Amino acid sequence: MYEYGSRVGAWRILDIFESFNVPLTIFATGKALELNPALAQALVQGGHELAGHGYRWLDYKDIPRSIEKQHIHLTVKLIEKLTGRPLVGWYTGRISAHTRTLVSDIAGLLYTSDAYNDDLPYWLYDKKTLLVIPYTLVNNDIQYFLPGGCATSADFFQLLKDAFDQLWLEGNSAPKLMSVGLHGRISGHPARARAVYQFLQYVADFESVWFCRREEIARHWISTFPASG
């Protein structure tokens, strides 16, 4: 199933987004980029953001701090070599007690997305000031695999549409941010990719919607709502 994502699914999703001229932030594991250099180059050439996602898809809860640190540094170096610029974003996904501290030491890092506790970005004040741009497991195609979740692309499209419509209404009084999480091995299948296409088609009809990468969100937030203290 994972191999389907790298061989077929990720390319299908990439084609859909590029047909709408919508940029992506890719949470990329270092090993996956090494194993699929053609896709890595296509992402870079397409102007998409590569954010760190660990060296491999592991649960770091019980992994020694030294190993996690090594994996972070391997991924940072790999992405910087591919893109020719500093890595600015990170999302481990299955974190340890050390993850946030280790990630905050990445030179040039603008944000972390290892949080699910808000709709909007916020500043975290700990040993270092760090911008958090929360991720989501709700507007996420993992819903296809959850009990009572999405059975068809129509279900997933409706889920995304409902979230967007609610945020659009709330946007009458304040700007809103919507994240959508997709995986090549999940939404890359034809029957599920249809939901992605239909949602982009739906949202494209609304004025004043900004399709952007997480890096652009971070830079906007930093310039508009700078950290205090």
Side-chain angles (χ1 to χ4, degrees):
M1 185 172 65
Y2 279 80
E3 188 175 356
Y4 182 91
S6 61
R7 292 171 65 93
V8 183
W11 294 100
R12 178 173 285 120
I13 292 174
L14 186 60
D15 285 346
I16 290 173
F17 275 86
E18 291 187 345
S19 72
F20 285 91
N21 196 30
V22 172
L24 291 164
T25 292
I26 310 298
F27 293 139
T29 60
K31 190 66 174 178
L33 293 174
E34 287 180 335
L35 292 173
N36 200 339
L39 179 58
Q41 288 299 323
L43 294 172
V44 173
Q45 292 170 6
H48 304 292
E49 176 193 358
L50 294 182
H53 194 32
Y55 185 65
R56 295 172 55 205
W57 177 228
L58 299 171
D59 187 343
Y60 283 91
K61 178 170 61 72
D62 297 318
I63 291 178
R65 185 181 190 276
S66 60
I67 299 299
E68 184 176 7
K69 181 178 180 179
Q70 179 187 28
H71 285 188
I72 289 172
H73 286 182
L74 279 171
T75 306
V76 169
K77 290 179 180 178
L78 179 61
I79 291 177
E80 291 181 349
K81 181 179 179 180
L82 279 168
T83 61
R85 57 194 298 270
L87 178 143
V88 299
W90 190 272
Y91 170 69
T92 292
R94 297 188 286 183
I95 64 174
S96 75
H98 311 293
T99 303
R100 186 161 278 169
T101 300
L102 292 172
V103 168
S104 67
D105 288 334
I106 298 174
L109 187 79
L110 296 181
Y111 71 89
T112 176
S113 287
D114 273 313
Y116 311 93
N117 54 359
D118 210 321
D119 292 328
L120 294 174
Y122 61 89
W123 290 102
L124 185 70
Y125 300 97
D126 197 353
K127 295 179 181 178
K128 295 185 179 180
T129 302
L130 186 63
L131 180 65
V132 178
I133 304 179
Y135 188 48
T136 177
L137 297 179
V138 178
N139 304 326
N140 192 305
D141 61 8
I142 198 69
Q143 292 290 333
Y144 284 112
F145 294 162
L146 298 181
C150 299
T152 68
S153 63
D155 295 334
F156 190 54
F157 169 73
Q158 191 63 51
L159 177 72
L160 298 182
K161 180 180 180 297
D162 287 347
F164 176 84
D165 288 346
Q166 179 62 32
L167 292 172
W168 182 260
L169 286 174
E170 295 175 5
N172 289 323
S173 58
K176 298 294 176 175
L177 170 65
M178 180 177 176
S179 293
V180 178
L182 304 173
H183 302 78
R185 69 183 187 277
I186 303 176
S187 284
H189 288 271
R192 294 169 179 162
R194 194 64 188 162
V196 179
Y197 182 90
Q198 289 175 323
F199 180 68
L200 287 172
Q201 191 174 47
Y202 176 72
V203 176
D205 288 336
F206 288 78
E207 296 181 0
S208 304
V209 174
W210 182 29
F211 294 96
C212 61
R213 304 168 302 171
R214 293 173 100 77
E215 176 182 353
E216 292 159 330
I217 296 170
R219 294 192 186 281
H220 170 74
W221 201 267
I222 291 167
S223 64
T224 309
F225 307 103
S228 59

